Structure formats: structure tokens, C-alpha cells
Amino acid sequence: MDKILQKIRRYWQDYMGGSRMALIGCVILGIWILLAIAVPVFSPWSFSGQDAGMRNQGPSILHWFGTDRFGRDLFTRVWYGAGISLTVGICSALINGVIGVLFGAVSGYAGGRTDMFLMRAADIISAIPSMLYVILITLVMGAGVRSIILGLCIAGWISMARIVRGEIIKLREMEYAYAARMEGIKPFRILCRHLLPNTAGTIVVNLIFLVPQAIFTEAFLSFLGVGIAAPAASLGTIIQEARSQMILYPYQMLYPLLILCVMLLALNMAGTAAEQSAGSRGTGGNRNI
């Protein structure tokens, strides 16, 4: 147990710098995730259960965030939507991170024609706005979590690939990389054992910023009506549904907006702290949002 705590403490010092901003962001995000998991499970109300007699009720002891035009409990519904938004953000960020790291590492280490071919292919993919990919995928596959994640992953890895490529190009000219090649060590081993570990700070920073970027994109598309399909709901879907009620019942839009902003703020605080820590070690990352 002590060894695990020591590793966690060492990671915190290495990638977050032990800063207060990172601590606050992580605490807020931890509470946020706990509520997103616990509320839909333990709430006496269903996120999709309708009650015609309880339509458009204001916040009360029974319904903390009030009810919507269908009589659904907004507190349960908002936190259920928060879980969907977080799932989309984390899954797409991890997939984009893995693809971007592999693509950028191979391109940067190989160099020459391989590098030119791979990066020109990435340029062609990124020439089309990423939101258009998401819209096309949802139109073909139907609105849902899988189609949103797939659409976000078509071009979402390119920024990570470019950053990793630049770091690998710089590191492959270091003396230890030359020494490893002189000893006949295979390129794959050099990448995995020597080069990629030295880009870990940059990768972590940009991976953190990929999460709020994906969440914001999903919320924006859901607000436009091209997001998660009913009966499921993300925060963007709930905000879009409350738009028609905004004048008479502003609380129906206020609460999901507040929850979304708190999550984005916490993620950006953690990412900014990691970025500052990485920058102080000379391995600064680039923000994606």
C-alpha cells in the first residue's frame, strides 16, 4: 500500500507539479464523477420516467432541480446526461490519444518519405472540419454514443500525432538515441524504451485537453439536434430540450449549463497545471481547447 501511495505521489509531483490548481480541479472532477455515477443508480426517479402531473415544476425538496415539460426529474436526468458526456469525452480522448501517439511516433522516427506520406495523409483528413465527420457519421449510423465517438475519432487524433511527431524528431537526435542505434537496438524498442517515455509529459497534457474538447463538441452537436438520440440524453441534449422553455422556466437550462461549465473548468484547471509542470521541465505541451 505504501508503494502505491508513493507512486501516486511521485506521479502527482511529476505531471501535476503538486499545484493547488491541479488539486482543486481534480477534487471538483472527482465529486462530479461520483455524482454522475451515483445519482442515476440511487435516485428514486428514472432519468426517462414521465409524470404528466409534475410538468414544469420548480426546484423543491422532492425534485432538487425541478422537472421538465414531460415531468421528468431534472436532477436525475442532468447527472445521467453528465455521465454520458463524460463517457464520450474519455473514450474519444483515449482512442484519439492512442492513434495519435502511434501515428506521430512512427512518422517522426521513420522520417523521409514515410514521414511525408503519413503527414500528407493527416493533412488531407484534417482538411475537412471534424464536426462535419460527426454529422455525417450520425446521419449514416443514427444518433448515439457510438456514432458520436466514431465521428470524433476520425480526425481528432491529428493534433496529438503532430505534437508527438515533433517531440520524436527532436529526441531521435539526442546522444542516447544515437548510442542505442549504434548498439543495434531495434527501432521499436528505441521508441518504446527511450523516446516515448521522454514525451510522457507532453502526451499527458494533451490527452487531458482532448477530454473537454470532445465533451464540448458533443454538447454543441447535441444542442444543434445531431447528438445523442432519445431516450438517452447528454448535457447538450438536455440544454437543447430546455431551449423552448428558456423564457418561462430558465432553471431547466441553467442547471445543465452549470454542470457542464463546472466539468470543463475542472478539466482545464487540471490540464493547465499539468501543462505548467511540463513546461517547467522543458517538455511543454500544446493546448487543444
Side-chain angles (χ1 to χ4, degrees), residues 19-261:
S19 70
R20 183 174 298 178
M21 180 187 296
L23 178 61
I24 294 173
C26 289
V27 169
I28 294 174
L29 188 61
I31 296 172
W32 195 98
I33 293 173
L34 181 63
L35 289 172
I37 295 173
V39 170
V41 174
F42 297 105
S43 174
W45 311 103
S46 169
F47 75 93
S48 60
Q50 302 181 15
D51 186 352
M54 296 294 294
R55 292 183 298 176
N56 298 320
Q57 297 292 313
S60 63
I61 297 177
L62 195 60
H63 300 283
W64 290 5
F65 287 179
T67 61
D68 63 8
R69 57 180 176 172
F70 297 108
R72 296 175 294 195
D73 180 67
L74 275 178
F75 185 75
T76 305
R77 191 164 173 79
V78 164
W79 285 112
Y80 172 83
I84 295 292
S85 295
L86 189 64
T87 300
V88 170
I90 291 177
C91 290
S92 61
L94 290 176
I95 295 172
N96 285 327
V98 171
I99 297 174
V101 169
L102 294 176
F103 194 96
V106 172
S107 178
Y109 188 82
R113 293 183 178 180
T114 302
D115 180 33
M116 184 181 68
F117 174 78
L118 291 177
M119 295 316 297
R120 295 299 75 77
D123 290 339
I124 293 172
I125 295 174
S126 64
I128 301 175
S130 58
M131 286 192 179
L132 185 58
Y133 285 120
V134 181
I135 293 172
L136 291 174
I137 291 294
T138 53
L139 289 176
V140 173
M141 298 180 57
V145 175
R146 292 182 180 179
S147 58
I148 291 288
I149 292 175
L150 178 60
L152 290 172
C153 292
I154 291 179
W157 53 269
I158 293 177
S159 60
M160 176 70 83
R162 287 172 175 162
I163 292 167
V164 173
R165 170 183 174 269
E167 291 292 320
I168 294 298
I169 289 175
K170 180 176 65 176
L171 292 173
R172 74 180 183 184
E173 304 300 328
M174 295 293 192
E175 293 181 357
Y176 64 85
Y178 273 119
R181 287 196 291 270
M182 291 294 292
E183 291 179 4
I185 300 176
K186 294 182 179 180
F188 180 78
R189 185 177 177 84
I190 295 174
L191 274 174
C192 295
R193 294 293 299 272
H194 300 287
L195 301 185
L196 285 177
N198 285 295
T199 64
T202 301
I203 292 172
V204 169
V205 168
N206 288 278
L207 191 62
I208 292 174
F209 282 116
L210 281 177
V211 178
Q213 180 183 4
I215 291 173
F216 181 81
T217 302
E218 184 278 325
F220 179 73
L221 290 171
S222 295
F223 183 77
L224 295 179
V226 198
I228 308 298
S234 67
L235 290 174
T237 306
I238 298 171
I239 294 170
Q240 193 274 338
E241 292 175 349
R243 184 175 57 176
S244 60
Q245 308 283 95
M246 183 173 59
I247 302 299
L248 296 176
Y249 310 104
Y251 65 89
Q252 295 184 13
M253 181 176 283
L254 175 64
Y255 289 117
L257 271 174
L258 182 62
I259 299 300
L260 178 62
C261 290

